[in-house]
Amino acid sequence: MKTRGISLILSIFLLAQGILFQVPKVEAAPATKEVTLTIYARAYTFSQDAPWKLAEAELQRRHPDINFKFIEEGFGWDDLRTKFLTSSAGGNPPDIMMTDIIWLGEFAENNLLLDVTNRVAKWPEWSDVVDTYRDATNWKGKVYGTWLNTDVRVLVYNKDLFKASGLDPNKPPKTWDELKVMAKKATNSPQYYGFGFPATLEDEGPMKFFANIYSLGGQILNNDNTKAAFNSPEGVAALEALIDLVRIGATPTSIVSGKYGDIDNGVFQGKFAMATMTKAYGLARDLIPGLTPDIYKQKFGVAPVPHAPNGVPSTMAGGYLLTIPKGSKNHDLAWELISIAASPDIQFKYTSARGYVPTFKSLMARGDDYASVDPYFSIILAQLPYAHFRPSVPKWTEISSEIQKAIQACVLGRMTPKEALDLAATNVNQILSD
């Protein structure tokens, strides 16, 4: 009995001690949130700080409470589109997609991209985008992304090969006739050829052909994009001008093989005296160790694309939008990363390093700053009024494929330009009707 009483008193004492001297419960600190953002982009965009490394660092700075993991997957042009379509079909798309402007119709029409109309409306930089480029981001009244960069094709030539051929390195060709004469003179086969254009089965293959069409006042498709127009008399003459260069030996038939980049690189490697291309300075710098703007200007020249003798100046433009796949689980963070990567400051760093054209009005006014990096920037910028986009229709990839095959058949002498273009037009009209 006495023992039971002592136990009861002890229990009451200990309970009182717990009430009076209770130690506060320490709660564990909240775990850091982890977010993975996957970026699908062209491989070369990851080779310098701008745009991705700078944008990722800034996003992390803004959100110290998030542990970001960035998965950067770089692709070639064809592989980028294919990988995106495959991953979207499998329900596992990236968070950010670098979308070629000609894919916009296809991706938007198939409900693969997020409508960002409301987001860009709140973005302070949106009003600074050049009107033409801002309009190009629309598909059926909705905006699906903003520009990383645009570009225009220019004629790039090797001054050493000009001098070796007795040509004046300060007088590049201005018309097709001058190009034909100078390309023939600048040919010393098989060591090097006067002019290179890709006849590979790639979307870049028909670019020079398209520029020629527009120089004569023709079109790729009709006004409402329902039928082929490239087999018009203007289209036939445009392709004849290119095939003439093959016939006279100034362009080799080997242009049907390899990649279009082989032609571009060839100018800087002494294999072609002339070619039309984008991002010329960026390519040259990647290929030639220690290249500086002064050395670049000393060894290479840049000029407008030669036009038809009685035609108008013309060139082709392209470029990439940064878009958000609809299946991404991180729409808000993806848009924030895009708005950083596509901001004027980072776009300047990216476009100046690669020889691209900016899309902001404020950057286009900084010609001197660009010229300090690329001495031919003023020539590149001056081509914008003469630039044309390929039709951004959902079936463009299939349409382009038919035109590529037509050009290749002509280069190999299997068909005449009229025969090849008429056959391609029949196939394209069928594609469009479907």
Side-chain angles (χ1 to χ4, degrees):
M1 197 65 188
K2 185 175 181 181
T3 303
R4 188 184 303 142
I6 294 173
S7 298
L8 180 60
I9 293 171
L10 183 60
S11 297
I12 294 172
F13 175 77
L14 292 173
L15 179 61
Q17 289 291 321
I19 294 173
L20 294 174
F21 304 106
Q22 185 175 19
V23 178
K25 185 179 179 180
V26 178
E27 294 187 6
T32 303
K33 183 180 178 182
E34 295 190 356
V35 174
T36 298
L37 291 179
T38 301
I39 302 166
Y40 281 6
R42 293 295 302 274
Y44 58 76
T45 64
F46 298 114
S47 64
Q48 61 274 320
D49 289 343
W52 301 118
K53 292 180 178 62
L54 295 177
E56 290 166 2
E58 174 60 18
L59 187 69
Q60 183 66 78
R61 187 193 68 79
R62 293 184 186 184
H63 298 279
D65 56 317
I66 299 176
N67 181 25
F68 284 104
K69 179 181 179 183
F70 298 101
I71 299 178
E72 302 173 340
E73 297 199 36
F75 303 93
W77 185 85
D78 278 332
D79 293 338
L80 177 59
R81 173 180 171 272
T82 302
K83 179 69 173 178
F84 174 64
L85 293 175
T86 302
S87 63
S88 296
N92 189 35
D95 297 290
I96 295 173
M97 172 63 184
M98 184 176 167
T99 299
D100 192 312
I101 188 63
I102 62 168
W103 299 333
L104 179 60
E106 176 187 8
F107 293 172
E109 195 73 6
N110 286 288
N111 203 31
L112 300 178
L113 298 179
L114 184 71
D115 173 7
V116 296
T117 306
N118 292 334
R119 285 177 165 85
V120 296
K122 299 173 185 176
W123 188 36
E125 312 295 354
W126 189 239
S127 61
D128 191 25
V129 177
V130 175
D131 295 349
T132 303
Y133 298 120
R134 198 164 59 231
D135 293 344
T137 64
N138 278 268
W139 181 257
K140 296 185 176 179
K142 297 178 180 179
V143 178
Y144 287 93
T146 190
W147 289 89
L148 175 64
N149 69 277
T150 185
D151 57 51
V152 292
R153 277 112 187 117
V154 290
L155 180 75
V156 181
Y157 59 97
N158 186 308
K159 290 185 176 182
D160 289 339
L161 295 186
F162 262 47
K163 294 173 184 176
S165 306
L167 297 173
D168 187 340
N170 297 312
K171 293 183 178 179
K174 295 180 179 179
T175 66
W176 298 352
D177 289 347
E178 292 177 2
L179 173 64
K180 185 176 178 180
V181 171
M182 295 175 71
K184 177 65 175 176
K185 192 171 184 180
T187 296
N188 183 17
S189 63
Q191 282 77 24
Y192 56 86
Y193 291 84
F195 186 75
F197 67 91
T200 50
L201 299 181
E202 302 171 278
D203 193 70
E204 186 69 22
M207 283 298 192
K208 184 65 175 73
F209 168 55
F210 294 154
N212 282 6
I213 289 179
Y214 285 114
S215 182
L216 290 170
Q219 296 177 197
I220 301 171
L221 302 179
N222 63 1
N223 289 336
D224 58 4
N225 292 330
T226 57
K227 287 188 176 181
F230 55 78
N231 63 325
S232 64
E234 292 83 4
V236 173
L239 186 51
E240 285 281 2
L242 288 177
I243 302 306
D244 272 350
L245 294 167
V246 179
R247 291 174 183 146
I248 65 173
T251 300
T253 57
S254 60
I255 58 173
V256 301
S257 60
K259 296 287 185 180
Y260 79 87
D262 298 336
I263 305 294
D264 298 349
N265 291 343
V267 174
F268 305 117
Q269 296 167 333
K271 297 176 182 177
F272 291 101
M274 294 176 279
T276 59
M277 67 183 78
T278 63
K279 57 181 184 293
Y281 179 67
L283 288 178
R285 190 195 55 199
D286 290 346
L287 289 168
I288 304 172
L291 186 70
T292 64
D294 288 341
I295 296 174
Y296 174 61
K297 191 172 184 179
Q298 177 185 339
K299 295 182 70 65
F300 305 103
V302 172
V305 174
H307 57 79
N310 297 315
V312 297
S314 68
T315 187
M316 297 302 296
Y320 287 92
L321 304 179
L322 296 183
T323 61
I324 305 173
K326 208 164 188 181
S328 165
K329 299 177 179 61
N330 301 291
H331 290 170
D332 291 339
L333 286 172
W335 170 251
E336 189 171 0
L337 183 61
I338 284 175
S339 67
I340 299 168
S343 65
D345 179 57
I346 291 183
Q347 192 182 88
F348 172 77
K349 292 181 174 70
Y350 174 64
T351 53
S352 62
R354 301 299 305 179
Y356 281 136
V357 178
T359 56
F360 290 107
K361 300 169 189 174
S362 59
L363 292 186
M364 288 188 176
R366 293 177 58 183
D368 291 344
D369 293 333
Y370 273 94
S372 67
V373 179
D374 184 343
Y376 295 113
F377 178 75
S378 61
I379 295 173
I380 294 170
L381 196 61
Q383 305 318 300
L384 288 177
Y386 313 111
H388 301 270
F389 285 108
R390 292 152 288 176
S392 183
V393 294
K395 296 283 188 177
W396 174 254
T397 301
E398 297 170 55
I399 292 168
S400 176
S401 178
E402 295 298 329
I403 300 171
Q404 294 161 32
K405 289 185 284 187
I407 295 173
Q408 191 170 99
C410 294
V411 170
L412 295 174
R414 295 171 181 167
M415 303 179 80
T416 67
K418 179 167 176 51
E419 292 169 343
L421 293 178
D422 282 344
L423 175 60
T426 298
N427 295 336
V428 166
N429 288 339
Q430 182 63 50
I431 292 169
L432 289 169
S433 69
D434 290 341

